[in-house]
Amino acid sequence: DDVKYIAQNGILAGTAERIFSPNASMTRAMLVTALYRMEGEPDVTHNSGFEDVKDGMWYSKAIAWAAENSIVEGMGNGRFGTDENVTREQIAAILKRYADFKAYNTDKTVDISAYNDSALVSDYAREAMMWANAEGIITGRSTFTLAPKATATRAEVAAMLHRFIDGIM
């Protein structure tokens, strides 16, 4: 249902005609492009400023928009990490920055220390992960694991985006 909702609403496109590839890994460019589409694909007149984001690519405007609005900060050394698989903690951080950009209430948090791997959450993503978990956007991979460093599939991100839209927007 999540994949169907996200695809039918034009938030995530398929990987080929009539193919969604739900078990394929989600890249950072795909995630930011989904948010850009949720925003209505606003005009962008500048480039992203990231060395690894080429002009004229399917993701170029989305990354430029996200960088301009402080939704993404990149991977350091002038890189965005366009084709890198997005981690669960990166998703939390990017979604929280998007929610802040939209001026949605992001005050709700939960203590994530019950997850055995909560100490693995990077400092930059801790508050975002506490918010995303409290809102039910990013749930544990199991009762006791949050898997912050794990990458997410396209189906998992479709579920996260659907929960974000239903619960936050």
Side-chain angles (χ1 to χ4, degrees):
D1 289 340
D2 296 320
V3 169
K4 183 178 179 180
Y5 176 86
I6 294 300
Q8 285 181 340
N9 286 285
I11 297 167
L12 276 177
T15 56
E17 189 171 332
R18 300 186 49 80
I19 297 174
F20 187 80
S21 300
N23 296 317
S25 295
M26 184 76 159
T27 67
R28 291 171 51 83
M30 288 176 194
L31 176 62
V32 172
T33 300
L35 298 180
Y36 180 65
R37 290 176 181 153
M38 287 167 52
E39 195 61 21
E41 299 185 30
D43 288 334
V44 176
T45 57
H46 59 283
N47 66 29
S48 69
F50 295 113
E51 294 174 10
D52 60 338
V53 177
K54 299 176 185 128
D55 289 336
M57 302 300 289
W58 59 269
Y59 52 73
S60 303
K61 289 182 180 181
I63 296 170
W65 163 81
E68 177 182 329
N69 291 292
S70 301
I71 296 165
V72 296
E73 297 174 353
M75 306 286 291
N77 297 324
R79 291 183 54 253
F80 175 72
T82 306
D83 295 324
E84 291 185 29
N85 295 335
V86 68
T87 66
R88 291 165 54 86
E89 71 179 5
Q90 289 171 352
I91 295 165
I94 291 169
L95 288 179
K96 183 168 185 311
R97 288 186 207 121
Y98 178 66
D100 289 339
F101 163 75
K102 297 292 288 179
Y104 297 145
N105 184 343
T106 58
D107 292 339
K108 185 177 179 182
T109 61
V110 66
D111 180 7
I112 58 173
S113 64
Y115 292 104
N116 294 337
D117 57 357
S118 65
L120 298 177
V121 177
S122 299
D123 289 342
Y124 81 88
R126 181 159 298 281
E127 181 182 323
M129 189 64 87
M130 291 167 53
W131 164 78
N133 189 251
E135 293 290 356
I137 297 166
I138 297 179
T139 58
R141 280 260 170 101
S142 73
T143 304
F144 299 108
T145 59
L146 196 52
K149 305 288 189 208
T151 58
T153 66
R154 290 171 48 85
E156 288 174 314
V157 174
M160 292 173 194
L161 291 173
H162 194 184
R163 291 190 293 257
F164 179 89
I165 290 165
D166 282 354
I168 306 300
M169 294 181 77

